[in-house]
Amino acid sequence: MKSWDTIIIGAGIIGLSLAIELRKAGMSVLVIEKGEPGREASWAAGGMLADFGLEIPAPLQALARASARMYPEFVHELEDESGLKIDLRSEGTLFFPDSKQDHALQESHPLPASLAKLEPAFRASDRLPLYVQERCVDPRHLTAAAIAAARHRGIDFSSGDPARAIEIRDGKAAVVRTDRTQFAAAIVVNCAGAWAGQIRPHAFPTRPVKGQMLCVAMPEKDLVSHVVRSSDVYLIPRSDGRLVIGATQEEAGFDKQTVPETLQKLRKAALDLIPKLADARILEAWAGLRPGTPDKLPILGETATPGYFVATGHFRDGILLAPITGRIMRQVITGQQPEFDLNAFAAERFRT
Ligand SMILES: Cc1cc2nc3c(=O)[nH]c(=O)nc-3n(C[C@H](O)[C@H](O)[C@H](O)COP(=O)(O)OP(=O)(O)OC[C@H]3O[C@@H](n4cnc5c(N)ncnc54)[C@H](O)[C@@H]3O)c2cc1C
């Protein structure tokens, strides 16, 4: 049986960023993917790097801020190693908070110019957004570059064959059994996203939270230049003139079908903000499965089985959290003190 220092299950952005970190630390790494690398949640995401406090659960805020700070370097390194370009934008976000209670926030996050100047295509309204200095990234560019960078660094991949179980020998993780074969490693990390709970022996309580989105071609390339976030819809411009409009949050099991009426609602909410989008051609619609957990926090760190680790459950923020997750999981796995307290994210919290 072939063996590696580490096996990572799941070639989404979390598994990939950790694989690269561990390879940099000198380990041999195999990534096992049930389908095609990078084609699940990490492909479906919008790519907002939304570290602004309101929507991130409190225990996650320090990690979110640290990860947002790491992004320019993270992207730069992946571009360098893959030879691929990643669309990372720093124009900032216009954020429409839900209620009037956010008056104080308005003062602490003023618009740098009038709304008419920042986004001339906006429908005139008496609601003013906050300005937040968040970046956004094209997640498909990001995962494609991470896959290429991983290959370039000599990380091995097994694709199209799901991991089913971790075999434990002498009380430690030793072998990963797939449908077709088995691979050996002293360290195994479950990064299987919404499917993480399906691999034996531990049933992590992850579940899929479906998100439908669509993408249009802006009638003028820079019709929208900021990310726009409101309670009904968000808009994420790409530098090539596409605009991503998202997203639903649905409990629909592992279903990834799009529903025309639902997409119409998202499009209508976008038109309410930017009437000129009525002329925008729809390029694509899709749905993806966010890895959700009961308390909306990720599951990070060791498990009850020595040698078996987990990094999943990043829900709505896995693109944002990929760089910091790779780094802190590398620290845990190589026996260093992680730079953040990971107690709130321990797999143990779900053991009854
Ligand atoms: C519509 C939508 C919009 C989003 N927008 C944003 C956003 O703006 N910003 C942000 O930060 N995040 C966003 N997210 C969340 C983000 O996409 C996820 O948190 C992140 O991609 C999770 O990464 P992952 O690697 O854990 O999961 P995934 O990308 O799903 O990767 C898990 C991988 O594991 C593989 N796998 C599963 N089971 C097995 C098995 N048994 N054996 C082998 N392989 C297996 C899967 O095939 C998959 O490739 C969004 C998600 C969705 C769906």
Side-chain angles (χ1 to χ4, degrees):
M1 197 188 322
K2 270 195 90 177
S3 79
W4 286 260
D5 294 330
T6 305
I7 292 177
I8 290 182
I9 303 172
I13 197 61
I14 298 297
L16 292 165
S17 62
L18 176 58
I20 292 170
E21 280 283 333
L22 293 175
R23 186 76 194 108
K24 281 196 218 165
M27 293 183 169
S28 60
V29 182
L30 170 69
V31 179
I32 300 180
E33 167 56 50
K34 70 173 169 57
E36 199 185 318
R39 293 288 297 190
E40 290 292 353
S42 304
W43 175 88
M48 293 176 292
L49 304 178
D51 65 322
F52 178 59
L54 287 186
E55 284 164 0
I56 308 253
L60 208 48
Q61 287 180 9
L63 260 63
R65 279 194 298 272
S67 213
R69 277 197 302 275
M70 290 169 73
Y71 241 88
E73 185 58 30
F74 181 62
V75 161
H76 181 72
E77 245 188 67
L78 291 180
E79 285 186 327
D80 230 34
E81 287 176 16
S82 65
L84 298 173
K85 182 90 194 81
I86 301 172
D87 188 22
L88 175 71
R89 293 172 58 94
S90 305
E91 277 72 1
T93 294
L94 301 176
F95 177 62
F96 289 92
D98 267 357
S99 65
K100 300 230 159 69
Q101 110 218 7
D102 301 300
H103 239 58
L105 282 172
Q106 211 104 36
E107 273 158 32
S108 55
H109 294 83
L111 294 175
S114 72
L115 188 55
K117 206 160 194 178
L118 292 172
E119 290 292 356
F122 252 70
R123 182 194 296 277
S125 145
D126 45 6
R127 273 177 81 207
L128 269 189
L130 316 177
Y131 176 78
V132 195
Q133 271 178 338
E134 292 170 349
R135 297 188 170 88
C136 66
V137 70
D138 184 328
R140 297 183 189 177
H141 290 177
L142 187 75
T143 40
I147 292 162
R151 291 212 159 102
H152 181 71
R153 281 191 173 270
I155 291 168
D156 293 315
F157 283 82
S158 157
S159 305
D161 185 19
R164 296 294 182 199
I166 319 296
E167 201 172 290
I168 296 159
R169 292 188 186 155
D170 301 327
K172 295 187 211 142
V175 170
V176 178
R177 286 194 180 283
T178 67
D179 274 355
R180 292 208 293 264
T181 184
Q182 49 189 13
F183 303 107
I187 294 165
V188 178
V189 195
N190 183 334
C191 299
W195 298 263
Q198 298 178 348
I199 300 161
R200 298 185 303 274
H202 302 298
F204 304 113
T206 46
R207 69 173 200 290
V209 182
K210 178 178 174 181
Q212 299 186 50
M213 313 243 267
L214 68 153
C215 177
V216 301
M218 289 189 269
E220 300 145 36
K221 193 158 164 254
D222 292 318
L223 183 73
V224 180
S225 58
H226 298 80
V227 170
V228 180
R229 286 206 269 146
S230 80
S231 51
D232 319 324
V233 72
Y234 56 72
L235 312 178
I236 310 170
R238 306 277 190 237
S239 300
D240 62 4
R242 286 174 299 143
L243 182 74
V244 172
I245 303 174
T248 60
Q249 279 194 64
E250 303 165 61
E251 301 288 340
F254 287 93
D255 166 51
K256 287 196 291 183
Q257 303 271 2
T258 54
V259 179
E261 298 75 42
T262 309
L263 296 169
Q264 247 338 301
K265 269 192 210 152
L266 286 172
R267 184 169 170 270
K268 160 106 186 21
L271 291 185
D272 285 347
L273 292 169
I274 317 266
K276 273 196 180 171
L277 287 175
D279 302 332
R281 192 161 45 92
I282 298 179
L283 299 173
E284 196 188 347
W286 67 90
L289 304 174
R290 304 175 185 90
T293 63
D295 57 7
K296 299 192 175 166
L297 295 176
I299 311 174
L300 301 174
E302 51 194 26
T303 69
T305 303
Y308 185 32
F309 298 84
V310 59
T312 190
H314 293 75
F315 191 37
R316 301 180 66 189
D317 303 307
I319 302 296
L320 167 66
L321 293 167
I324 195 69
T325 301
R327 186 199 280 180
I328 54 183
M329 286 300 298
R330 188 251 299 146
Q331 291 165 343
V332 171
I333 289 167
T334 58
Q336 283 174 277
Q337 176 69 26
E339 63 193 80
F340 289 92
D341 178 0
L342 301 181
N343 271 325
F345 315 118
E348 271 299 299
R349 74 191 189 274
F350 297 119
R351 274 163 63 94
T352 49

